[in-house]
Amino acid sequence: MFRLALATVLLAAPAMADPLSGKSYIIELSSTQSSSGYGEYLLPPLLKVLQRSGLKAKNGPGADLVINIKPDSDVGRWVGAGENRGWLYTISATVGISPESYIIPFDGTPVFGITASLQTPNPDRQDEMDCLITLAARTALKNYRPSGVFKTDGSTCARK
């Protein structure tokens, strides 16, 4: 019994190092985000998370990673019944992490990303979008994988 327990301990894999440790990044905005000025609203919450992440900002080509933001909103729908019935929109923010060699397609889909979404009566609340971007960025950095876009519940970002 003692030998089996010792063998299990010796064969256990060592703790994995953070795959993003020491990496540099650039942020890529779509041309419409940049030209419309929308990037000025998307960047502050993302930059706050990245500044605390330990990643190194790089101004220009040669970064290890490309970080992007893909906001989305639907046209809304009726939810509930009777007096509790309301018109709600689903808004979301995907924060992506891709290798610098990856060319992000026009639809903004990254190699890896986290999409945080919530239902709200007002799709234009900047505080909710800021919260979704922050949540998606933190979750993406904490749960980084080589590929895949995963969802997380952003209902905690709903206005209070």
Side-chain angles (χ1 to χ4, degrees), residues 30-41:
S30 70
S31 58
T32 55
Q33 288 172 339
S34 181
S35 65
S36 68
Y38 192 35
E40 293 176 29
Y41 297 97

Side-chain angles (χ1 to χ4, degrees), residues 98-155:
S98 303
E100 199 248 351
S101 60
Y102 178 72
I103 298 178
I104 297 173
F106 289 117
D107 71 357
T109 303
V111 170
F112 169 77
I114 297 293
T115 302
S117 59
L118 69 87
Q119 289 188 326
T120 180
N122 183 349
D124 297 323
R125 288 189 58 102
Q126 189 62 42
D127 58 334
E128 290 178 341
M129 183 55 74
D130 288 353
C131 181
L132 289 175
I133 292 168
T134 299
L135 175 62
R138 284 182 183 160
T139 306
L141 291 168
K142 182 178 177 185
N143 298 289
Y144 177 76
R145 295 185 176 116
S147 64
V149 178
F150 303 93
K151 295 181 181 196
T152 190
D153 180 8
S155 61

